[in-house]
Amino acid sequence: MLGMKEYEQDYIDACRSRIESQIAVFYEVAQSARDHGDADVSGLEGALESLEYEYFNNMLIVLDGYFVHRLRGVEGKDGNALNEVRVMTRSLMENGGTMMADPTIPLDPARSVLRLEVGAPVTLTLQQYRRISDAFLREIESRFSHDEV
């Protein structure tokens, strides 16, 4: 597939719907585990926390994958949410989950959605994933969709 300058609003909406479904599934599983746990749940919260990080780190890679062919010229290099997801995804896949610098994208943590510094672990919670995915999809709509929103 060639680089994408535009995505149909229906495609963006379908991606948003899949993201919401995947968030709901995680929440339901976590809540069910808490509701049906034994009286001794000392290890449960730690296991759920680890699952949450793994799940939402992987969901970030999925989110980026939905729009992997977006043209960098349209995406820009101004530290927007698209840039942030690009850098975090690379950090997960190429840097062992530690936030890395990208010399082509000036990402200022103070202006970013999640405020991750270079060298920080990328361990996304449900709330962080929701914030970054919402910002990412708004930026996709702003830069890559010309349909009515």
Side-chain angles (χ1 to χ4, degrees), residues 18-36 44-45 48 51-52 55-56 59 125-127 129-130:
R18 284 192 298 273
I19 288 165
E20 287 303 318
S21 293
Q22 292 155 345
I23 289 171
V25 165
F26 174 83
Y27 181 80
E28 288 173 21
V29 168
Q31 195 58 49
S32 180
R34 287 183 180 105
D35 291 346
H36 294 88
L44 177 62
E45 286 305 318
L48 286 174
L51 174 64
E52 183 175 22
Y55 187 83
F56 289 109
M59 288 306 308
T125 63
L126 183 154
Q127 289 78 20
Y129 178 75
R130 185 177 293 282

Side-chain angles (χ1 to χ4, degrees), residues 68-84:
V68 72
H69 296 291
R70 64 190 183 272
L71 287 175
R72 291 195 74 174
V74 178
E75 176 180 326
K77 295 180 182 180
D78 57 355
N80 63 59
L82 303 176
N83 299 158
E84 189 171 353

